[in-house]
Amino acid sequence: MAYPTEQPAGPSQPPEGPEPAVPVTPGPFGPAIDWRQWLRLEGPPRPWRRSLAAGAGAAVAIMVLGVLLGLLWAWLAPAVPVVNGGDAGVLVTDASPEQYIAADGWFTLLGLGFGLIVTVGSWLVLRRDRGPFLLFGVVGGAFVAGRWVAPAVGEWLGRDAYQNWRETAAQGATYLAPPELQSLGPKLVPAFIAAIVLTLLAGWSNDPDLDHPGARPGYGPNHGYPAPFAEGPAVPYPPAAGYDEPNPYAPPGPAGAGDPYAPTGPAGAGDSYAQAAGPGDSGAAGIETPPGDGPAPGKGTRPGGDA
C-alpha cells in the first residue's frame, strides 16, 4: 500500500528568475513560511513622475466628466415658475417654492453617484499607481467637477433665453426659469464620496506591494510567488526539517515486501492457519487438525469420557 506524502502542494508555476531564499521553519502542519516575506520590497520603486502623471490624468478626466454631470442635472432638476413684476422685477409665483430645494436634492444624489462611479473607475484603471498622487488627483478632480464645472454647465443651459425674456417680457408674463443651486453642500458631495471610496478600496486591497513595477493586484505577495491558476509544471515547496526521513511504518520494498503477515506465494501457501481440502470432501475445505489432538491410535475411550 502506497502512503501519501506529507509535503504541502506547491504553486502552479515556477517563479521567473532566481528566487531569493526564504526562511523555512518546521511547523505542526508542515513548513511555515516566514511572515517577513510579505514585507519584502524587491527592485526599485516606481518613479514618482509616473505616479504624478497618473494622478494628473485622473483629475483631468474627472473634470471633463463633470460636464456630463451638469447636463444630467439640468435635465432632471425642475424649472422655477416666475412672473415679470414690472418695477418690482422678476418674482416667483409661489410663496414657498419647492423647486430650489428639489434642484439641490437632485444635485446631491447625482453627485453621490458621480463620485462613486469615477472613483471606482479610476481604481480599476490605475490601481497599480495607487498612492497619495492618485488620491489627490481623484479627489481634486471630483472637487473641481462638483464645485464649478457641473453647476456652471447646468445653470448655463437656457440662461440666454431666460435673460432675453426678462428684457422683452411684458408685466405679468410668466416664465420657467432654469434651475440654480442655492447652497454649497451639494457641490462638495462628489469630492467627499471620492475620498471615502478610494481610501476604502486602497485599504481593502490584499496586495502589499502595488508601489513597485510588475505588481499583480489581488494575488498576495508579488515576488517569488506566482499567480494562482497559472499554466506550467508544479514546483513543490522545500522540505521541512524532520519530514525528509523515511517513514518507519512504510514497507521497505514493493507493496507487502517484508510484511510477516503478507502471503509470499499462492493464496494460502505457507499459512498454517489456512483451510485445506480433506479426503472425500468435494471442493469443501476442512480444518487441518494439529498433531497431538484427538485419541491416540490403538487406545479406546473409557465410559467416563477420558481418552
Side-chain angles (χ1 to χ4, degrees):
M1 175 180 180
Y3 290 85
T5 177
E6 298 182 3
Q7 299 296 332
S12 58
Q13 183 179 4
E16 298 180 358
E19 178 183 357
V22 179
V24 179
T25 56
F29 303 102
I33 306 298
D34 190 355
W35 62 270
R36 289 173 292 181
Q37 59 93 10
W38 288 87
L39 303 179
R40 290 183 302 162
L41 300 178
E42 300 182 5
R46 179 175 291 107
W48 64 270
R49 291 182 179 85
R50 172 175 174 176
S51 300
L52 179 60
V60 173
I62 294 174
M63 292 178 191
V64 174
L65 293 176
V67 176
L68 300 179
L69 174 62
L71 294 176
L72 184 59
W73 171 73
W75 180 55
L76 294 175
V80 181
V82 294
V83 60
N84 187 1
D87 296 337
V90 178
L91 304 176
V92 181
T93 58
D94 191 356
S96 300
E98 300 178 354
Q99 288 79 8
Y100 293 119
I101 300 177
D104 289 358
W106 273 110
F107 196 89
T108 301
L109 295 178
L110 294 176
L112 191 151
F114 176 80
L116 179 62
I117 292 175
V118 298
T119 304
V120 174
S122 301
W123 174 260
L124 294 178
V125 176
L126 301 173
R127 57 181 174 175
R128 295 193 179 190
D129 297 289
R130 74 174 187 181
F133 290 102
L134 183 61
L135 178 63
F136 292 152
V138 173
V139 176
F143 175 76
V144 174
R147 178 66 177 86
W148 290 290
V149 177
V153 172
E155 295 176 357
W156 172 76
L157 293 178
R159 185 64 53 180
D160 293 340
Y162 175 62
Q163 292 296 337
N164 187 27
W165 173 85
R166 292 185 60 178
E167 296 174 358
T168 59
Q171 185 176 359
T174 59
Y175 192 82
L176 292 178
E180 297 181 6
L181 288 175
Q182 303 297 321
S183 58
L184 179 63
K187 302 178 182 179
L188 304 179
V189 170
F192 179 73
I193 296 299
I196 293 179
V197 173
L198 188 61
T199 303
L200 292 178
L201 290 175
W204 288 342
S205 177
N206 63 343
D207 197 316
D209 196 12
L210 286 181
D211 189 47
H212 283 64
R216 296 184 295 270
Y219 293 141
N222 287 282
H223 300 284
Y225 292 85
F229 310 110
E231 299 180 357
V235 177
Y237 286 99
Y243 288 93
D244 53 352
E245 300 178 358
N247 190 350
Y249 300 100
D259 190 355
Y261 300 100
T264 57
D271 190 356
S272 58
Y273 299 97
Q275 298 179 354
D281 190 0
S282 58
I287 300 178
E288 181 181 355
T289 304
D293 296 341
K299 293 184 180 181
T301 304
R302 292 185 299 175
D306 296 335

